[in-house]
Amino acid sequence: MSKVPITKAASNNLESSPKYAPVRALKQRYTRQNLIAVAILVALAILIPLLPQVKGWMLSQVSLVIIYIIAAMGVAVLVGFTGLVSVGHGGFLAIGAYTSALLTKYFGVDLIIGLISAMFVSAFLGALLAVVFVRLSGAFMAIGTLGFAFFVGTVVNNVSIFEGRDGIFLDNNVILGIRIEDFGFYYTSVASLLLVTLAVYCLVNSGTGRAFMALRDSENAAKASGVNRLLYRVLAFAISAGITGIAGALNAHVVNYVSAEVYADIWYSVDILIAVVVGGPAILFGPYLGGIFVVMLPFFLERLADFSFILKGVVLIAVLRFAPAGVGELILRPLRIARRRKLRSVAAGLRESEVG
Amino acid sequence: MLGQLILSGIATGSLYALTAIAVVLVFRNTRTINLAQGDFAMVGAFLGIYFLKQLGFSYYTTVLLVVASTTLLGVAVEWLIMRPIAKSDWLTLFTATIGVFYILTGVMGWIWGRDTKAFPVNFDPTPIDLGGALISMGHLYNIGWALAIGVVLYWFFNHTKQGIAMRAVTDDPEIAHLMGIPVKFIVMLTWGVAGFIAGFVGILIAPIIYVSPEMMDEVLVKAYVAAVFGGLYSIRGAVIGALMIGVAENLAGGYLDSSLKTSTAFIMIVVLLAFRPQGLIGVQKRREI
């Protein structure tokens, strides 16, 4: 009996046989490495407030990190998994923030309701915008979305209900009738982040997620396999906008204040995009690393705001040059190499037993 | 009133047009949407203040020095930052220019501070009568400069070896390379031309909008929109788009509501992209990116 060539199809068949249980186990373990990294980071997020230094302003900074991670998660769905680029997600941040802020101000709604409605309003507007934008090729879409962020900025600056640069002050945050303080809010953010991460993980591993990735990797092949391009791209854009909308709502409530001063700034959008690119767009925990980078860098260099700008630029360029798939990839690469080596040795062992 | 609004719209539009030309030039030769284009001009404006105030140079010496320095800046950015990653996908190239943007903003803020500064040369508001429509001297002056730069660029692209080579690289970098055109040098030159244009834009726009690290943000977004009018590929389209934006936003500001002025560009781009995603001026896009 000659050697069985392990082609892709053959290995797929073989994989379902009980003999290949060790290979399967290995594969499963390594697709879980993303989840393990996320679990570590979330555990860190839960434990951080136990440090005595973390309170008051410091705590709101840590909340800000969580908010940025959520926003970056939204962009990562688009950039990393669907292959579309948005430079305008600051616009959705603003939409989420103002949706929740106005609902809280005029109807006194619960924070949870605020977050959920921010998500839906943002997702809906995202879908509308996407119908125009997703037909464009990359560069055009980037410019179009940048224009969108700019547009949202001028709207909140000039339309009277948004109260422009004076801003809207909000009451304390309430969940289920209970007033929550800083710590309560922080854990609300962490819970939102956890839910968003799980949702993204499930999405990426679902048929819909595979359709997104097929569109990213080869548009023509995806089309030939019956993936509806417009539908899935609009869906991806809506999901992405919805997630960033949640982040926007949290961003409004972390300081209980929204103002055009903050949301008219189009560089918010750029910051979110950078968080995704630095962390690693197609890696589940990439936005975590990116969010920490984007928020904590100016924080540590508080007195040297300009220097933090320079450093941000230098780090970004260095990452693009030396780790184009993001910092997350640098962490995953050794694991991936180890996995390949192990798989190969297991396969070699199996092949020998078959030949014998 | 109408003529006046159109004329001053053309004056602002001509500055958008210059920036848009630079954006198109860099994009079509290197697939890079240059987010730092505005910052090149911002650096130019800061250097202008420095040369005029601190060193006491005359205006024309200053223009010369500023344009020389921004040209060098463009070349340096290409050489140090863009060249090593030139083969990457467009998103990487784009985010790299975001990095350049941050570095330039940081450096300028570090040296000269974040607050806005007045440019030592004033905008000349003397009204000039042009067949019934009044236009200020400063606007007329800007249109004149923009026209002059346009003529220089036209001459460069049609009558110099380097300019023609640059167009050849635009058409097909591989064939250009086979024909013996030093593509790398031409790409570097492209960034140099982008810097050259930015130097003028910085000097011309500084008296109108004051000088600060963020001064160019709005102009840049509008220049992008203008560039999209030409499909990010046609210079003529970009110029027409820029003038249209300048005029349209002035009309919207004059007749409708001043708060609408800045949103005009976005509304125009959405309408344009919804109906003609390839740009207004019918250019066949050669490369899908």
Side-chain angles (χ1 to χ4, degrees), chain A residues 79 85 87 135-136 138-140 142-143 146-148 150-151 154 158 266-267 270-271 274 277 306 309 313 316 320-321, chain B residues 27 33 35 84 90-92 94-96 98-99 102 106 109-110 114 217-218 224 228 231 259 262-263 266 273-274 277 289:
Chain A
V79 177
V85 175
V87 198
R135 292 182 303 158
L136 309 171
F140 289 84
I143 292 177
L146 184 66
F148 164 73
F150 195 70
F151 174 70
T154 52
N158 293 308
I266 55 171
W267 302 115
V270 177
D271 257 0
I274 285 179
V277 170
D306 295 310
F309 263 78
L316 178 62
L320 288 172
R321 180 154 174 193
Chain B
F27 179 78
I33 309 174
L35 203 82
W90 75 270
L91 179 62
T92 306
F94 171 62
T95 29
I98 298 180
Y102 275 124
W110 191 21
R114 309 225 118 229
D217 293 358
E218 204 179 313
Y224 277 160
V228 168
S259 64
T262 37
S263 329
F266 173 71
L273 291 177
I289 61 154

Side-chain angles (χ1 to χ4, degrees), chain B residues 252-265:
Chain B
Y255 286 111
L256 301 168
D257 185 63
S258 63
S259 64
L260 277 172
K261 202 172 165 181
T262 37
S263 329
T264 322

Side-chain angles (χ1 to χ4, degrees), chain A residues 279-337:
Chain A
I283 298 164
L284 194 63
F285 64 92
Y288 283 72
L289 306 177
I292 295 169
F293 167 71
V294 166
V295 180
M296 291 322 268
L297 185 67
F299 171 76
F300 283 124
L301 296 169
E302 186 203 346
R303 281 168 204 289
L304 299 158
D306 295 310
F307 190 65
S308 91
F309 263 78
I310 300 173
L311 199 61
K312 207 194 269 184
V314 171
V315 170
L316 178 62
I317 289 168
V319 166
L320 288 172
R321 180 154 174 193
F322 300 110
V327 176
E329 171 69 20
L330 283 186
I331 298 169
L332 284 183
R333 196 180 293 156
L335 294 174
R336 200 166 283 161
I337 291 170

Side-chain angles (χ1 to χ4, degrees), chain B:
Chain B
M1 176 75 172
L2 179 67
Q4 220 154 299
L5 285 174
I6 291 179
L7 269 179
S8 55
I10 288 177
T12 354
S14 59
L15 294 181
Y16 299 162
L18 287 178
T19 309
I21 291 174
V23 168
V24 168
L25 281 179
V26 169
F27 179 78
R28 64 185 198 178
N29 275 7
T30 67
R31 296 175 300 130
T32 309
I33 309 174
N34 185 9
L35 203 82
Q37 182 63 39
D39 272 30
F40 290 171
M42 181 270 289
V43 170
F46 270 109
L47 286 178
I49 293 186
Y50 179 69
F51 290 141
L52 282 169
K53 250 192 183 161
Q54 248 90 343
L55 303 183
F57 288 152
S58 75
Y59 184 70
Y60 289 99
T61 324
T62 305
V63 171
L64 208 69
L65 284 174
V66 163
V67 170
S69 355
T70 50
T71 308
L72 281 179
L73 178 66
V75 169
V77 164
E78 196 277 335
W79 192 50
L80 294 174
I81 295 167
M82 302 313 290
R83 181 169 295 183
I85 54 168
K87 297 249 183 298
S88 318
D89 59 317
W90 75 270
L91 179 62
T92 306
L93 297 171
F94 171 62
T95 29
T97 66
I98 298 180
V100 176
F101 161 84
Y102 275 124
I103 293 174
L104 291 180
T105 309
V107 170
M108 290 297 123
W110 191 21
I111 301 177
W112 282 298
R114 309 225 118 229
D115 38 332
T116 53
K117 287 172 197 48
F119 198 67
V121 175
N122 288 328
F123 181 77
D124 187 354
T126 329
I128 305 273
D129 198 327
L130 278 181
L134 293 176
I135 181 168
S136 50
M137 195 60 206
H139 276 324
L140 211 58
Y141 180 74
N142 281 354
I143 295 178
W145 266 108
L147 271 178
I149 298 161
V151 168
V152 169
L153 288 176
Y154 182 84
W155 169 78
F156 175 72
F157 281 116
N158 289 295
H159 297 283
T160 67
K161 215 171 156 185
Q162 279 74 22
I164 295 168
M166 206 180 276
R167 278 165 49 213
V169 171
T170 306
D171 283 343
D172 195 321
E174 273 162 43
I175 291 181
H177 182 68
L178 291 176
M179 301 303 278
I181 292 173
V183 175
K184 277 187 181 165
F185 172 74
I186 293 297
V187 165
M188 193 189 224
L189 200 62
T190 310
W191 282 87
V193 173
F196 170 84
I197 296 173
F200 282 107
V201 172
I203 289 279
L204 294 178
I205 213 162
I208 309 177
I209 59 174
Y210 296 110
V211 180
S212 75
E214 295 87 17
M215 60 186 273
M216 290 297 291
D217 293 358
E218 204 179 313
V219 178
L220 184 66
V221 171
K222 284 167 188 166
Y224 277 160
V225 175
V228 168
F229 270 83
L232 281 177
Y233 193 81
S234 148
I235 287 182
R236 205 180 316 146
V239 171
I240 294 171
L243 296 180
M244 275 169 63
I245 292 168
V247 171
E249 69 176 17
N250 242 14
L251 291 179
Y255 286 111
L256 301 168
D257 185 63
S258 63
S259 64
L260 277 172
K261 202 172 165 181
T262 37
S263 329
T264 322
F266 173 71
I267 295 167
M268 283 167 82
I269 199 180
V270 168
V271 174
L272 175 79
L273 291 177
F275 295 106
R276 281 189 70 88
Q278 71 277 40
L280 188 67
I281 311 302
V283 195
Q284 215 60 47
K285 251 205 334 289
R286 191 175 48 78
R287 256 179 310 196
E288 279 288 324
I289 61 154

Side-chain angles (χ1 to χ4, degrees), chain A residues 108-113 172-181:
Chain A
V109 299
D110 205 280
L111 179 61
I112 305 278
I113 311 271
N172 278 311
N173 303 309
V174 174
I175 287 183
L176 304 173
I178 305 163
R179 243 182 72 171
I180 55 165
E181 304 293 336

Side-chain angles (χ1 to χ4, degrees), chain A residues 8 11 37 44 86 91 129 157 164 182 208 225 260 275 303-304 312 323 349:
Chain A
K8 191 85 183 163
S11 80
L44 264 180
S86 165
L129 197 70
N157 232 333
D182 291 356
T208 314
S225 318
R303 281 168 204 289
L304 299 158
K312 207 194 269 184

